[in-house]
Amino acid sequence: MTIAKTVDLVAAARKAGYAVPAVNIVDDLSLRAVIAAAEQAQSPVIVQTSVKTVKSMGAEIISSIFQSTAAGASVPVALHLDHCPDRSVITLAIRNGWSSVLFDASDRPLQQAWDETAEVVAEAHAEGVGVESEIENIVGVEDGVGADEAIHSYSNEQLVEVATTTGTDLLAPALGTAHGMYKASPVLQYDRVAELGRLTDIPVVLHGGTGLSLADFQRFIDNGVAKINISTTLKLAYMHAARDHIAKAQASGKWEPVKMFDDISAAVQATVIEHIGEFGSKGAAAGVTA
Ligand SMILES: [Zn+2]
């Protein structure tokens, strides 16, 4: 009952004026922590996996842990595949119960990206799976996918034409953000979200959220962003909690893995709850019909 469709969660968010947190998990511990945090804050949530995580855990295992955890959750939860240029992994996710996939064609020239996005949408929609589309590259490398420079950039009209002719459900344009940690202050393109919103009803996704301020997030949401991806912050919370726990274990001589899992889970949950507050999705679960 609580396993939701990404497209429905994002549509509800756009209507109500908040953004759904879409959080990249790295294992079962972080998957459960993300859902637990969403339950505490009564927020809808999208659990995301990078291609790297799919390869590390296996699609069947992720799917079964997701299904069993989400089925018992008190909030609507969807499963999304983040940046995936590899068509075979897209197919794997579609066949294993993902609610949506980000087909990342930003490494392809325009016509090829256009044609392949149409193919992916047809394949995904046949199984009731939604498609987020990226044909411009959002700068920064995330889990081995992407590039540090902008290779392809298009006009808003071109982006909308590709999205509407292919049947894309969610749009991931370049908005001045970058994946990973910022080396310099980004030039954020809030206006671009509003302009896209005037051209199409397709919801816009914000990538590269780590390092943005509350005011930045609010301005993006006010302009129409309805899904915000979080990856780097979760990795930092996870690894710093592990490092701190190991330092404590070293000092006390008590080596108990389960206690470390508890610390990691608490840190991940705190991070997700903080973002839920920033994205305005706290308490929004009740307004979503899953
Ligand atoms: Zn991204």
Side-chain angles (χ1 to χ4, degrees):
M1 178 247 158
T2 48
I3 297 176
K5 288 197 177 295
T6 305
V7 172
D8 293 342
L9 295 187
V10 178
R14 192 165 191 234
K15 218 170 140 190
Y18 62 89
V20 187
V23 190
N24 283 51
I25 58 102
V26 292
D27 59 5
D28 61 318
L29 177 62
S30 46
L31 184 151
R32 284 183 278 113
V34 167
I35 294 177
E39 289 189 281
Q40 275 183 66
Q42 283 299 296
S43 167
V45 75
I46 298 163
V47 170
Q48 291 190 162
T49 56
S50 68
V51 173
K52 198 182 197 178
T53 300
V54 173
K55 288 184 173 162
S56 143
M57 289 177 75
E60 295 84 358
I61 290 172
I62 293 173
S63 182
S64 83
I65 296 169
F66 172 79
Q67 303 288 335
S68 56
T69 312
S74 61
V75 293
V77 189
L79 182 61
H80 177 77
L81 176 67
D82 202 14
H83 297 278
C84 183
D86 181 341
R87 298 276 300 272
S88 67
V89 179
I90 295 270
T91 301
L92 193 64
I94 291 171
R95 290 190 185 151
N96 279 282
W98 264 251
S99 167
S100 53
V101 293
L102 165 48
F103 176 50
D104 186 339
S106 62
D107 59 342
R108 276 90 154 166
L110 181 61
Q111 192 57 51
Q112 193 189 344
W114 198 329
D115 294 344
E116 286 198 52
T117 301
E119 289 168 17
V120 166
V121 169
E123 182 188 352
H125 283 185
E127 302 298 328
V129 173
V131 177
E132 180 177 332
S133 157
E134 178 180 339
I135 58 169
E136 294 180 325
N137 67 304
I138 294 157
V139 293
V141 180
E142 188 173 41
D143 279 359
V145 178
D148 278 325
E149 319 79 46
I151 302 164
H152 296 117
S153 311
Y154 304 112
S155 69
N156 293 335
E157 287 73 14
Q158 278 177 307
L159 281 189
V160 169
E161 193 188 357
V162 173
T164 48
T165 55
T166 55
T168 292
D169 301 291
L170 305 168
L171 201 55
L175 295 171
T177 55
H179 292 124
M181 302 297 282
Y182 287 102
K183 291 164 195 114
S185 279
V187 179
L188 303 174
Q189 300 175 34
Y190 310 103
D191 296 348
R192 193 172 197 206
V193 184
E195 282 158 26
L196 288 166
R198 283 191 279 274
L199 296 171
T200 179
D201 286 335
I202 302 170
V204 171
V205 179
L206 179 68
H207 287 250
T210 297
L212 300 195
S213 70
L214 173 61
D216 296 332
F217 286 129
Q218 277 175 347
R219 210 164 148 197
F220 270 122
I221 295 166
D222 290 346
N223 279 284
V225 161
K227 170 179 180 273
I228 301 179
N229 290 5
I230 290 298
S231 175
T232 306
T233 340
L234 180 134
K235 289 182 183 174
L236 293 177
Y238 189 115
M239 296 303 288
H240 290 171
R243 176 200 61 196
D244 294 348
H245 185 91
I246 286 169
K248 272 195 298 182
Q250 204 113 40
S252 66
K254 289 180 188 150
W255 296 93
E256 179 49 69
V258 174
K259 294 272 185 217
M260 182 174 77
F261 300 158
D262 291 345
D263 285 357
I264 292 170
S265 178
V268 168
Q269 288 186 53
T271 299
V272 174
I273 287 172
E274 195 185 327
H275 284 302
I276 286 171
E278 291 171 333
F279 300 169
S281 66
K282 189 169 194 280
V288 179
T289 34

